Amino acid sequence: MKLKENILTTILSKGLILLLNFAVIVLTTQLWKAEGRGVIAIFTADIGLIAFFANVFTGNSASYYFSRFSSSKLATAAYLWSFLVSALGGLFLLATGQLQTAPFVFVVSTLLGIVTFHNSLFVGDQRINHYNLITLLQPALLILCMLLFHWIRPQLGFYCYFLGQIVSLSALIALSSALKRRMGIRFHWDFDRACNRQLFNYGWKTELSNVLQFFNYRLTYYMLAYYLGKGSVGIFSIGVSVAEASWIVSRSVSLVLFSNVLTQGNTPTSRRDTLHLALLSLGVSAACIGAILLLPKSLFAFIFGPEFGEAKRVVALLAPGVLAVAFSNVLDNFFSAIRHLNVLLVRSSVGLLFTLLLSLWLIPKWQMDGACVVNSTSYFMSSAVLLLYFLSGKSKTDLDIEGER
């Protein structure tokens, strides 16, 4: 019963988040057009990439070890690691000439790492409502802060988005800290090598898989920027965002399933629940994609601006791969919860191989259509790998192989 209740509340929360994120997209396209939206899309992609490295200590590993180590040991490792990874990411952007965004990437990545860690503790303690509250407030506060900066200093342009991220994430850290204190959790400095080692052993495989998967999803942004300019990235990113909005149920049930399987383990019941939830996710996503494709092209241009009418074509070409991921997202979290991490590495490696090979061929040839075909193919192939492993039931528990209990 608790599983169904958590799924329903999470779906409701994700639905509201989807609407708020949609509002962010509309506002940024209307205020700063395709060029500004392109800069923001690259910025969020950079943040996402750094976040994968930070999540080695702040993501699923923190949830998994919540009941095994003290919160202070986990927090010490997570805070230090987030700062280090964000600093290295900012320095890399400076070295590659991205002076415009590098300082903001450093600050936002650090703050986001702390918010992610707090949310991971909530998931590990099965306090899904706390998690939902923080994730729901994140886009709401971003909109509020972004519009406030735009109203005060409109000449700042898309920098209002960067400043809005900093202020909203800082507020979320304060709120999540207050929630933890109510749970009786208080942090103090506690550096523990054994804890850090086990966090790293769990986290690096999960996040290496996620980094590879990130490039499966977002490498085409950078390729389009190289061949066609950031304006094309702005248009393409709108289509991707609209298509991926159909993952609302998939992401919701995946989160709750992960928290549940952490305690339940790899049992016939958990496998049955996983398959049922994956099929549910596929069905809902198919209905969402179908509804989106029934919308006229002119509506996309009206909502996002005249430059974005082609976003509907992007959604149509991405649809087969997006539906495959709607199904496999649930399998991904199942394998992560039972520590079958090599499966995720194989999945992401296969997808990235297709992304690399097809990007170099199809994007110069078919431009934005080529990027859609690349993404859709990568989505489909990586999802097929997860399904084959799940049906075979032969994957091994990686941390058990290493002798860790």
Side-chain angles (χ1 to χ4, degrees), residues 4-19:
K4 292 181 179 179
E5 180 183 339
N6 284 337
I7 287 175
L8 289 175
T9 56
T10 304
I11 290 174
L12 177 60
S13 173
K14 293 291 186 183
L16 293 173
I17 291 169
L18 176 63
L19 293 175

Side-chain angles (χ1 to χ4, degrees), residues 7 80 108 135 145 153 162 245 267 341 347 360 365-366 390 397:
I7 287 175
L80 287 174
V108 171
T135 53
C145 296
R153 295 289 298 275
F162 303 156
T267 65
L341 307 179
R347 176 278 312 269
L360 296 173
K365 184 177 181 180
W366 292 343
F390 184 80
T397 303

Side-chain angles (χ1 to χ4, degrees), residues 273-323:
D273 288 343
T274 299
L275 186 57
H276 287 169
L277 292 173
L279 290 171
L280 172 66
S281 300
L282 176 61
V284 174
S285 294
C288 292
I289 288 290
I292 292 169
L293 293 179
L294 289 176
L295 300 175
K297 177 180 175 181
S298 58
L299 183 60
F300 284 78
F302 173 76
I303 294 173
F304 300 108
E307 300 169 284
F308 295 94
E310 288 302 312
K312 179 182 177 180
R313 180 176 177 83
V314 173
V315 175
L317 292 174
L318 288 174
V322 166
L323 293 180

Side-chain angles (χ1 to χ4, degrees), residues 142-184:
L142 172 59
I143 291 173
L144 180 63
C145 296
M146 182 177 67
L147 289 178
L148 181 62
F149 281 116
H150 179 71
W151 178 66
I152 296 172
R153 295 289 298 275
Q155 62 268 33
L156 289 174
F158 53 74
Y159 285 98
C160 295
Y161 177 87
F162 303 156
L163 295 172
Q165 284 277 18
I166 293 171
V167 175
S168 61
L169 289 171
S170 299
L172 290 175
I173 291 173
L175 175 59
S176 58
S177 297
L179 291 173
K180 291 198 308 299
R181 285 194 294 272
R182 291 183 59 184
M183 295 165 55

